[in-house]
Amino acid sequence: MEAGLSVGGYEVDLRPVREIRKLGARRVLLQAPDGLKHVARELAARLAADGVEAYVSGGHAWGGCDVALQEARAINADAILHLGHHGFVGARVDAPPVIFVPVYYEGLLFETFEKVVRNVALKGYRRVTIGTTYQHAKYFSRLVRLAEDAGLTVAGRHLDGYLGLVVGCNYAALAEDAEAVIVVAGGVFHALGAALWTGAPTWRVDPYTGDYGPVDVKPIVARRLRDLSRAIEARSFLVAVSSKTGQRRPEIARRIRDLLAERGLRAELAVFDEVTREGLLNLGSYDAYVNTACPRLAVDDPDLFPGPVVNPGELKYVLKGSLEGYSPRDLFRFDVLAPP
Ligand code: SF4
């Protein structure tokens, strides 16, 4: 098999795919985010030509937290090829083996990034941190050079071995002491997360559309404070647990239930593959919800919950009955409620 595959502007690095030969895999499950399903289909056709039976997963693949283990077992797959994400998030899956296949996209990246670094420098910022999603991670060193050419100093760290890599729930690769943040990713999702995590002025660079500009977290924070205020008044809670490979947190959910019950509040547990409004409504009526699944549900889709929603790291405000000292970073924290 050749080293790369080009599909509509996307570059697939096929080197990891050779692993399936070493594994002797005859049947594989291909998993890809919705925007890369067409790439997965093209790769499936290549594999079929090589005599490998390839199924494309019809489900969503939200991240490295969402490995299609049940589907792979249902078809008795020898391996899972997971496209477009860098690796596991939250928890590993060992059987069947999971091979992460990089898919890169350059598009309008550099010309858009240059406009942004010029704007950021004009605003007087000097020390910046840069985040990219995995689709653009291989261009990171070139982005740093462009930022430096504009007079900026770049600070940052690795996530899982990749400089500046961000995923929707993890911004640890961004420097804590930067004056401004630049995030390279499609849409506003990752830039919003970075702004909430760092609290610093954040610009987004969209290599797919060429859109760019500062992000505004004020509506998100206002919604968080509104939901938390309502949850402080709540008497009954549903604690939602996900069954997804890297979003499963039953111990944290039980701890939350116990903490709420100790305060005389009604708290019940429910488990979902995908947390959906319909599934929540089917369970009856609750004053508030605690979401132990993907923390971004409370940021990007709070109306999915029929009542106010609280993430585990935010529960402390509900328990103490006060929003004093609220930090949006708590949206992403789970350690605060680890079992004693
Ligand atoms: S943000 Fe949500 S979907 Fe994305 S990797 Fe994290 S848990 Fe998974």
Side-chain angles (χ1 to χ4, degrees):
M1 183 176 280
E2 62 274 48
L5 169 66
S6 191
V7 186
Y10 291 97
E11 296 296 326
V12 187
D13 183 349
L14 292 177
R15 287 169 299 179
V17 178
R18 294 177 186 150
E19 192 70 22
I20 62 177
R21 259 196 221 130
K22 283 192 215 148
L23 292 167
R26 306 301 307 154
R27 181 182 300 130
V28 300
L29 175 70
L30 274 115
Q31 214 196 342
D34 292 350
L36 295 179
K37 288 277 193 282
H38 64 298
V39 178
R41 284 171 42 221
E42 187 66 40
L43 181 53
R46 300 287 175 111
L47 290 169
D50 277 358
V52 177
E53 189 174 67
Y55 286 71
V56 177
S57 165
H60 300 296
W62 298 115
C65 60
D66 190 10
V67 175
L69 203 50
Q70 298 306 327
E71 290 174 10
R73 288 181 178 159
I75 60 164
N76 207 15
D78 300 316
I80 299 173
L81 296 181
H82 188 114
L83 276 65
H85 297 125
H86 78 284
F88 294 111
V89 171
R92 286 186 58 85
V93 170
D94 292 320
V98 182
I99 300 164
F100 288 93
V101 181
V103 181
Y104 299 114
Y105 188 86
E106 183 183 318
L108 303 168
L109 169 60
F110 295 112
E111 60 208 80
T112 316
F113 187 83
E114 274 186 303
K115 289 179 197 161
V116 168
V117 286
R118 276 202 300 270
N119 275 338
V120 168
L122 275 174
K123 296 241 176 246
Y125 297 110
R126 285 294 164 263
R127 186 174 168 82
V128 301
T129 189
I130 301 171
T132 82
T133 50
Y134 193 44
Q135 265 82 46
H136 322 292
K138 81 165 185 175
Y139 310 112
F140 190 82
S141 50
R142 217 167 128 193
L143 297 177
V144 170
R145 282 200 298 279
L146 286 174
E148 288 172 348
D149 288 348
L152 302 172
T153 304
V154 180
R157 295 190 286 245
H158 290 85
L159 176 67
D160 295 343
Y162 300 97
L163 262 173
L165 178 69
V166 294
V167 296
C169 53
N170 193 331
Y171 298 90
L174 301 177
E176 291 288 339
D177 59 348
E179 296 164 352
V181 184
I182 304 171
V183 175
V184 176
V188 75
F189 178 85
H190 292 90
L192 257 184
L196 290 164
W197 174 261
T198 61
T202 301
W203 274 260
R204 68 188 187 94
V205 174
D206 186 330
Y208 300 91
T209 61
D211 289 341
Y212 63 93
V215 297
D216 180 10
V217 296
K218 285 196 288 296
I220 306 276
V221 175
R223 174 62 192 257
R224 297 310 313 130
L225 295 175
R226 200 177 89 207
D227 272 27
L228 287 167
S229 302
R230 290 175 61 204
I232 286 171
E233 305 298 323
R235 306 297 305 161
S236 63
F237 291 80
L238 183 75
V239 185
V241 179
S242 171
S243 61
K244 292 191 183 300
T245 51
Q247 297 184 22
R248 266 178 218 160
R249 299 179 181 97
E251 298 85 5
I252 288 176
R254 285 195 290 272
R255 175 109 176 97
I256 291 168
R257 181 218 32 212
D258 293 347
L259 285 166
L260 291 167
E262 279 166 20
R263 282 158 177 77
L265 302 166
R266 182 160 72 91
E268 294 171 12
L269 300 168
V271 61
F272 303 81
D273 174 28
E274 298 273 333
V275 182
T276 63
R277 187 174 172 87
E278 192 189 11
L280 290 163
L281 284 169
N282 278 341
L283 292 171
S285 173
Y286 298 86
D287 296 338
Y289 295 81
V290 185
N291 161 44
T292 69
C294 170
R296 294 300 300 255
L297 296 179
V299 175
D300 306 275
D301 205 2
D303 290 332
L304 180 140
F305 296 88
V309 58
V310 177
N311 275 1
E314 298 177 314
L315 192 76
K316 62 186 178 196
Y317 302 103
V318 175
L319 296 177
K320 70 180 182 183
S322 162
L323 299 178
E324 201 184 326
Y326 178 74
S327 165
R329 190 176 280 209
D330 289 326
L331 277 161
F332 303 96
R333 296 189 66 202
F334 293 94
D335 53 329
V336 285
L337 284 168

